[in-house]
Amino acid sequence: MEVPDEEHEHLIERVAAIDVAKAFGKVCTRIPHPSTSGRRVTKVWDVEATMNAVTELSDRLIELGVEKVTVESTGDYWRIWYYVLEARGLNVQLVNARDVKHLPGRSKTDKLDAVWLAKLTEKGLVRPSFVPPKEIRTLRDYTRMRSDLTAERTRYWLRLEKLLEDSLIKVSAVASTLTTASIRDMIEALIAGERNPRVLAELARGRMRAKIPALVEALTGQFDDHHAEIAALLLAQIDGLDAQIGKLTARIEQLLDDLPAAQPHRASGDSGRDGNSSTSPSHHPEITTASQPMLSAVERLDEIPGISPAVAQVILAEVGLDMNRFPTAGHLVSWAKLCPRTIQSGAKSPTGGRTGKGNPYLKESSAKPRPWLPGPIAFSANATGASSNAAASSRLWSPSPGRSWSSSGTCSPTPRPSTST
């Protein structure tokens, strides 16, 4: 049985490797010997982790004709090396330090680590990590900041609920969440000095008014001035985070609008990697290309039940728009650490190992829709105006003709399955 080599598995004549530290990097180059055939010349030296020093290094590597540079991913210290060398036109790959461990029984020094990394590079024995292009990295910075601020806002809501419990106000036992407009009005009235539980309960709106008797009991407590002062501080923090999350959301939408690959277009039949157009409209005559709406990348992902536009933004920021980086959908799922790795030995049947940590932001978005949008509503709105949770539960199939993401990154029509009762 022939096992084809992966793209990175080929011999390279001129390579460089960088063992990264905080203030400097140990650089190793391996190039052919100028006079002796089959021999290599290895040089190792220190380079400061500054913009000017790394720029000078890139000029030197270009002069040596280095074909590939490997950078070890140590914390965030690898970024200056990768970004500067990449901007200078060098072929740079980032590798996980766990995958390039030194062999046991040999000394462990920065110099030997750099040489070992260079030897692995020239023989194609390192698997590069996925690093998206610059515009996707910029988008990802905004989506990750939004995720962090959203989590911080949730912590302030939990602190507010804890404060209400301390004041013997049990309103969270009656209302499903503190983020409703009715509960917000009641909390603000408490802060303003209102202590009459019946007057507070009358602030309920809509369907909450049916719970006024229970609200009267829940709002009977010992809310005093020090609770009011702390509650006002917590609400101010929540409102500030709401405003910041709103700004980030607007900026994310703008960045996506500026990406040509994310713009609306009609999906043509996916020829796939083997040239077979298994999902083209000709295979499904009930779906015509002319009837397919013009959808952006976010809108195409939003058609998947359980994915809101905000979650789609996170997926695009973490995975990127070029699906050619992943040979199959299985490779993408494996890279995201959403499936266990296969373990098979001898006659034993394959078993599933641990999934691993993976990308925490992508895992959170795949687990459930997140409340990105500002304001008291806990769920982000989708394109139809309904909450994403409601859309996920009630929308078994997308409103437009069924579509699916292919391995090549295109979105092609798929037939609707027949329903049976």
Side-chain angles (χ1 to χ4, degrees):
M1 179 179 63
E2 180 180 354
V3 179
D5 289 342
E6 296 188 25
E7 184 178 353
H8 63 275
E9 295 177 338
H10 61 272
L11 299 178
I12 306 173
E13 282 194 353
R14 298 173 177 268
V15 300
I18 305 174
D19 185 68
V20 176
K22 182 176 182 178
F24 69 95
K26 189 75 71 171
V27 180
C28 174
T29 58
R30 282 177 62 82
I31 60 177
H33 195 279
S35 58
T36 306
S37 177
R39 301 294 296 174
R40 314 285 291 172
V41 177
T42 303
K43 293 184 179 180
V44 182
W45 71 97
D46 290 342
V47 177
E48 292 185 356
T50 61
M51 183 73 177
N52 293 332
V54 179
T55 302
E56 292 179 3
L57 171 64
S58 64
D59 294 336
R60 181 172 178 179
L61 296 180
I62 293 173
E63 182 180 351
L64 290 173
V66 170
E67 303 172 56
K68 187 177 289 292
V69 182
T70 298
V71 179
E72 186 183 37
S73 60
T74 304
D76 284 331
Y77 305 143
W78 61 268
R79 296 183 185 275
I80 186 171
W81 304 95
Y82 189 97
Y83 293 169
V84 175
L85 296 178
E86 178 192 46
R88 297 287 291 176
L90 287 164
N91 185 0
V92 190
Q93 64 179 2
L94 184 71
V95 297
N96 194 323
R98 179 190 59 192
D99 298 336
V100 292
K101 285 183 178 179
H102 212 349
L103 290 176
R106 303 180 65 180
S107 301
K108 172 69 172 66
T109 65
D110 291 341
K111 177 182 176 180
L112 292 178
D113 285 348
V115 174
W116 175 252
L117 192 58
K119 290 181 178 179
L120 293 177
T121 302
E122 69 181 6
K123 293 174 175 59
L125 296 178
V126 291
R127 179 178 298 175
S129 300
F130 170 63
V131 180
K134 186 177 186 302
E135 60 272 11
I136 298 298
R137 296 199 298 261
T138 301
L139 175 65
R140 189 171 61 180
D141 288 341
Y142 283 99
T143 57
R144 288 185 174 184
M145 175 59 70
R146 185 177 63 176
S147 298
D148 295 339
L149 293 184
T150 301
E152 186 67 19
R153 183 178 62 181
T154 301
R155 283 191 283 269
Y156 277 106
W157 279 117
L158 294 176
R159 292 188 183 106
L160 180 59
E161 181 177 7
K162 185 176 181 179
L163 180 70
L164 293 176
E165 290 288 337
D166 183 72
S167 65
L168 310 186
I169 300 295
K170 303 288 292 184
V171 69
S172 60
V174 179
S176 59
T177 176
L178 297 180
T179 60
T180 63
S182 298
I183 301 302
R184 177 64 182 255
D185 291 343
M186 296 174 193
I187 296 175
E188 290 182 346
L190 284 167
I191 294 172
E194 181 61 57
R195 297 293 184 267
N196 190 327
R198 184 161 296 277
V199 174
L200 293 171
E202 288 295 332
L203 296 174
R205 307 179 187 181
R207 290 180 296 178
M208 187 71 71
R209 295 195 62 82
K211 301 180 180 180
I212 286 181
L215 286 171
V216 172
E217 294 295 328
L219 291 166
T220 302
Q222 297 179 356
F223 194 94
D224 56 26
D225 291 342
H226 100 276
H227 291 122
E229 185 175 2
I230 297 177
L233 292 174
L234 293 175
L235 286 180
Q237 292 287 344
I238 291 171
D239 292 340
L241 290 171
D242 283 340
Q244 293 173 359
I245 292 171
K247 291 180 180 178
L248 289 172
T249 300
R251 181 60 175 154
I252 290 168
E253 293 173 352
Q254 179 184 354
L255 289 174
L256 284 170
D257 290 340
D258 294 339
L259 291 176
Q263 299 313 302
H265 67 279
R266 285 193 178 93
S268 60
D270 178 23
S271 59
R273 297 181 180 273
D274 56 357
N276 297 323
S277 180
S278 59
T279 58
S280 63
S282 60
H283 286 71
H284 310 298
E286 69 278 8
I287 301 176
T288 61
T289 303
S291 64
Q292 297 172 12
M294 300 282 285
L295 298 176
S296 66
V298 172
E299 291 170 336
R300 281 179 279 162
L301 285 174
D302 181 39
E303 288 195 317
I304 302 174
I307 295 183
S308 68
V311 173
Q313 293 169 356
V314 174
I315 294 175
L316 293 178
E318 297 298 332
V319 177
L321 291 160
D322 183 13
M323 292 296 99
N324 290 319
R325 292 177 176 268
F326 304 97
T328 65
H331 285 77
L332 174 56
V333 174
S334 177
W335 169 81
K337 295 295 189 293
L338 295 175
C339 66
R341 68 187 184 98
T342 301
I343 301 177
Q344 190 271 333
S345 178
K348 294 183 179 179
S349 300
T351 59
R354 296 182 178 180
T355 58
K357 294 182 179 179
N359 187 322
Y361 295 93
L362 188 59
K363 277 195 170 184
E364 286 186 13
S365 66
S366 65
K368 60 181 180 180
R370 294 293 302 274
W372 304 122
L373 297 183
I377 305 302
F379 303 106
S380 57
N382 59 24
T384 62
S387 69
S388 57
N389 275 23
S393 60
S394 63
R395 186 177 59 197
L396 296 180
W397 294 97
S398 56
S400 61
R403 312 171 78 86
S404 66
W405 283 81
S406 68
S407 60
S408 60
T410 60
C411 186
S412 304
T414 56
R416 300 175 185 270
S418 58
T419 56
S420 59
T421 57

